[in-house]
Amino acid sequence: MDNDSPRHARVPRDFESLRSTIIERKASMPKRLAQVAAFALGNPDEIAFGTTASIAAASDVQPSTLVRLAHHLGYEGFSDLQSIFRERLRDRTLSYEERLVTLEQSSGDDEDANLLSGFIAAANQSVNRLAATVRSDTFTNAVNILASAETIYLIAKRRSYPLTAHMTYAFSKLNIRHQIVASPNGVDPEMVQFATPKDAAIAASFSPYAADSLTQSQELADRGVPVIAITDSAFSPLAACATHWFEVAEADFAGFRSLSASMALAMALPVAIAERRRKRQHSKSAKVKME
């Protein structure tokens, strides 16, 4: 192994462990290794399918850098590292029909009870992981920004959409001005043009990231609109443009990923924003009475 390899390295043998290891070590990685690691987490299918030459070209490094990254993480070589991405691909690219077949094959005697238990276990694992990793100061800072916003824009697509759908309901009940960016007539880009730095946005996207969500979030960030992101990796392109971001690593059961931890966060944010605004209003009222 080369001189970049940490002496204390424990070799991750599954994708989630590898992702956690990369995130943990990203700050201390040499620049080129961090660049490849970011590309790998953002483009796992490219790593699984590609050759050393094609991956190096796509990530704009020399092929030898891929080997250096593998050694840095404790693997024997790049093919050893690549096997983790291929295993992830096998698990994650099952069609829905194939996932149902997998469930049928592993369900045992009591199929319905085992299926329900599997989803409950995945939900518990997701929520417990969030509870162990979420930073209270990040939550507080995000709430402060959102509570000060004139309008809160909500951005999510595909499997992340239920998060903003729930927040739309909660914000409406709590009398918080908001705008969900999910138009049936395709005018989402025009909708985000109304946002100003006095507003804020909540954006959610998980790998494989929704291109529209990334584009809209980056556009808002470029215009000085604070973006609070819910995503799955420190290397997520959504995290890169966010003012504050939450890492939510959802567990899955038979290839079906939970949204339990993300939904818990989506439920907590509107209530915390409403409470922060209520306290600020009471403080202002009390100050006026004293004057």
Side-chain angles (χ1 to χ4, degrees), residues 210-228:
D212 287 346
S213 294
L214 300 181
T215 299
Q216 291 156 12
S217 299
Q218 186 63 61
E219 180 183 340
L220 290 173
D222 290 344
R223 298 212 314 271
V225 179
V227 176
I228 307 302

Side-chain angles (χ1 to χ4, degrees), residues 198-213:
K198 293 182 179 180
D199 302 316
I202 300 175
S205 190
F206 306 94
S207 179
Y209 307 104
D212 287 346
S213 294

Side-chain angles (χ1 to χ4, degrees), residues 124-141:
N124 281 333
Q125 183 180 348
S126 298
V127 172
N128 290 336
R129 185 181 297 164
L130 177 64
T133 59
V134 68
R135 293 174 57 95
S136 60
D137 58 338
T138 300
F139 187 79
T140 297
N141 292 334

Side-chain angles (χ1 to χ4, degrees), residues 245-268:
W245 62 278
F246 298 94
E247 180 182 358
V248 184
E250 298 280 8
D252 71 79
F253 177 60
F256 293 91
R257 277 182 288 175
S258 168
L259 268 179
S260 302
S262 304
M263 188 59 75
L265 192 56
M267 294 173 70

